[in-house]
Amino acid sequence: MPTRCKDCPLHCKPLFQPQTDAETTFMQQFKRGELQVQAGTTLLLEGAASPQLYTVLKGLGLRYKTLEEGQRQVLNFAFPGDLLGLQSALMGEMSHSAVASTDMVLCVFDRGGLWDLFREQPGRGYDLTYLAAQEEHFLGDALATIGQRDALERMSWAILKLWRRAEALEMTEGDSVALPWRQQDLADALGLSLVHTNKTLARLKREGVITWQEGRLRMVNRARLAELAMAEDGEIITRPLF
Amino acid sequence: MPTRCKDCPLHCKPLFQPQTDAETTFMQQFKRGELQVQAGTTLLLEGAASPQLYTVLKGLGLRYKTLEEGQRQVLNFAFPGDLLGLQSALMGEMSHSAVASTDMVLCVFDRGGLWDLFREQPGRGYDLTYLAAQEEHFLGDALATIGQRDALERMSWAILKLWRRAEALEMTEGDSVALPWRQQDLADALGLSLVHTNKTLARLKREGVITWQEGRLRMVNRARLAELAMAEDGEIITRPLF
DNA sequence: CGTCTTATTGACATATTTCAACAAAGGTGG
DNA sequence: CCACCTTTGTTGAAATATGTCAATAAGACG
């Protein structure tokens, strides 16, 4: 039996803004069901018109674009609470693909109901715009990092982003967190070769900043990581949960 | 005297979707006035809470982020019809800056009215989300290009994007268009050094693909450029004009 | 026991950056 | 009108970060 929106396990996480009862009720009737998928499943395909809009309920994934010559650019990593498929819902087709990196559970919404949502729940429409703008913000940061910084700085930035995200979702256990991604995923996210990614990661370990073994990232010297990442490491900015 | 929305010179351009009379009327009363600025003027500043939302009416600009060590990443180039300041309106502060590259005229909207807009004109709210999602789409493409491709391909991609944009706004004259940006702007957009940008541009000229002198870009071999850019060069995708 | 995936490491190749110098154009003040 | 300065573009040579190639190791799995 699917999770009811009022029992959603994500609301209580520090990452999300509170929701009114009216909103939760509306989301409940807007929700079509739940989708359970295995690790490795393609959730969305670039160019395809996905009929559905998803919110990640459990598990981790990633979004990527594939270029003509087979290269892959990872755009970002998908965590619980992330919305997938908004572009398709709005523009008719996806500009990127998405894949499950672990087993996942997704809330399914019908894209056809989007128009009603804007009409009947302007606050929810506003929130959708907010989420799109926040994604734009993130991609701008990523672009600046990849366009302007060297491998060690890029890697530190990405790891700090992952860590802070996991922390805001209470997925961390002490100074470590389980993450399913391979070095190849990191390499494709950072615009680096696999070999250079490995060597850069090795350097971060050697210098006592982090460790990352058997799918578990461990924060050894967070201050140093933040310094290398040149990113703020202060309060989490909350966002609406859709 | 400011341009009235129903006389807006942009509606007739092929880039934009038609607007209903009701929408135009609403935008007219939502519009606060017009801002005229000289080339070089900073329109928005990263981190600042701009009280206003702008639409470019005339002229060209660019959006950028500045990193700690003074490096600059150009996120994109602003053309007529582009919305500036949405992030600040939604999230309280800008994640990037914007500057006028030529003299510009901007329509000014009050960010405080945004909430009313979502309530009273759900279609306009939907359009705002669409625009934010489209910007996200663009940044994803840019990230993939900069992360995965070499200098010649990046440059070709950027030039084709600029050309197609100008074309959709009927700014081109035959096979050429006037563009105000310097090689340094291109370099900062593509994540390349100024020197390498210059040499890459020289190569495109030498091979008879384009010329770019005295602020005027000329398309010499568009098919070849599109091939290098590995980007679609078909129909323009229209978007709402805000 | 093979086969696959992932991680690791060294040697070498190369794209891009950095440094440095110069040229052309425009503005400004004497 | 001329000297001077700033901005922008151009070019060559040297330095370096990153990519590519190749080989090995370790674990998972049938």
Side-chain angles (χ1 to χ4, degrees), chain A residues 136-154:
Chain A
E136 180 189 338
H137 179 161
F138 172 82
L139 287 175
D141 276 6
L143 191 57
T145 299
I146 288 170
Q148 305 297 328
R149 306 219 250 242
D150 69 23
L152 192 68
E153 293 168 328
R154 292 187 209 181

Side-chain angles (χ1 to χ4, degrees), chain A residues 182-183 195 198-199 205:
Chain A
R182 329 249 162 250
Q183 292 187 2
V195 172
N198 179 286
K199 285 173 180 169
K205 293 175 193 166

Side-chain angles (χ1 to χ4, degrees), chain A residues 143-212:
Chain A
L143 191 57
T145 299
I146 288 170
Q148 305 297 328
R149 306 219 250 242
D150 69 23
L152 192 68
E153 293 168 328
R154 292 187 209 181
M155 178 75 66
S156 304
W157 175 82
I159 291 175
L160 185 62
K161 280 276 177 190
L162 287 171
W163 177 264
R164 283 174 56 81
R165 199 73 199 288
E167 207 171 30
L169 289 164
E170 295 175 334
M171 293 166 57
T172 56
E173 300 158 31
D175 65 351
S176 80
V177 63
L179 298 178
W181 297 293
R182 329 249 162 250
Q183 292 187 2
Q184 185 68 63
D185 297 322
L186 267 186
D188 291 343
L190 299 174
L192 297 171
S193 70
L194 174 60
V195 172
H196 201 59
T197 298
N198 179 286
K199 285 173 180 169
T200 304
L201 218 33
R203 184 165 159 206
L204 280 177
K205 293 175 193 166
R206 181 156 26 88
E207 295 185 2
V209 183
I210 58 155
T211 68
W212 192 333

Side-chain angles (χ1 to χ4, degrees), chain A residues 102-161:
Chain A
T102 65
D103 292 349
M104 296 181 81
V105 181
L106 304 150
C107 294
V108 181
F109 303 102
D110 191 46
R111 113 185 206 195
L114 208 56
W115 180 252
D116 289 338
L117 181 141
F118 273 89
R119 200 141 31 78
E120 294 167 27
Q121 293 280 324
R124 297 269 70 195
Y126 188 96
D127 286 346
L128 269 187
T129 312
Y130 185 102
L131 290 176
Q134 193 181 260
E135 200 62 35
E136 180 189 338
H137 179 161
F138 172 82
L139 287 175
D141 276 6
L143 191 57
T145 299
I146 288 170
Q148 305 297 328
R149 306 219 250 242
D150 69 23
L152 192 68
E153 293 168 328
R154 292 187 209 181
M155 178 75 66
S156 304
W157 175 82
I159 291 175
L160 185 62
K161 280 276 177 190

Side-chain angles (χ1 to χ4, degrees), chain A residues 65 67-69 71-73 87 95 118 122-123 126 129 133 135-137 139 141 144 147-148 188 191 230, chain B residues 65 67-69 71-73 87 95 115 118 122 126 129 133 135-137 139 141 144 147-148 188 191 230:
Chain A
K65 283 178 75 78
L67 309 192
E68 297 199 4
E69 287 147 18
Q71 309 134 89
R72 183 180 70 150
Q73 174 69 44
Q87 293 195 341
S95 70
F118 273 89
Y126 188 96
T129 312
E135 200 62 35
E136 180 189 338
H137 179 161
L139 287 175
D141 276 6
Q148 305 297 328
D188 291 343
M230 291 189 288
Chain B
K65 285 180 71 80
L67 309 193
E68 296 199 3
E69 287 148 16
Q71 308 135 89
R72 183 181 70 150
Q73 175 69 42
Q87 294 194 339
S95 70
W115 179 252
F118 273 89
Y126 188 96
T129 313
E135 200 62 35
E136 181 189 338
H137 179 163
L139 288 175
D141 277 6
Q148 304 298 327
D188 291 343
M230 293 189 287

Side-chain angles (χ1 to χ4, degrees), chain A residues 53-100:
Chain A
L53 188 61
Y54 304 110
T55 294
V56 179
L57 195 54
K58 280 181 63 175
L60 300 167
L62 58 80
R63 309 181 213 229
Y64 63 95
K65 283 178 75 78
T66 307
L67 309 192
E68 297 199 4
E69 287 147 18
Q71 309 134 89
R72 183 180 70 150
Q73 174 69 44
V74 169
L75 299 176
N76 65 23
F77 299 96
F79 281 81
D82 278 5
L83 198 56
L84 301 177
L86 181 61
Q87 293 195 341
S88 169
L90 290 164
M91 309 197 293
E93 70 178 51
M94 291 301 296
S95 70
H96 59 259
S97 305
V99 65

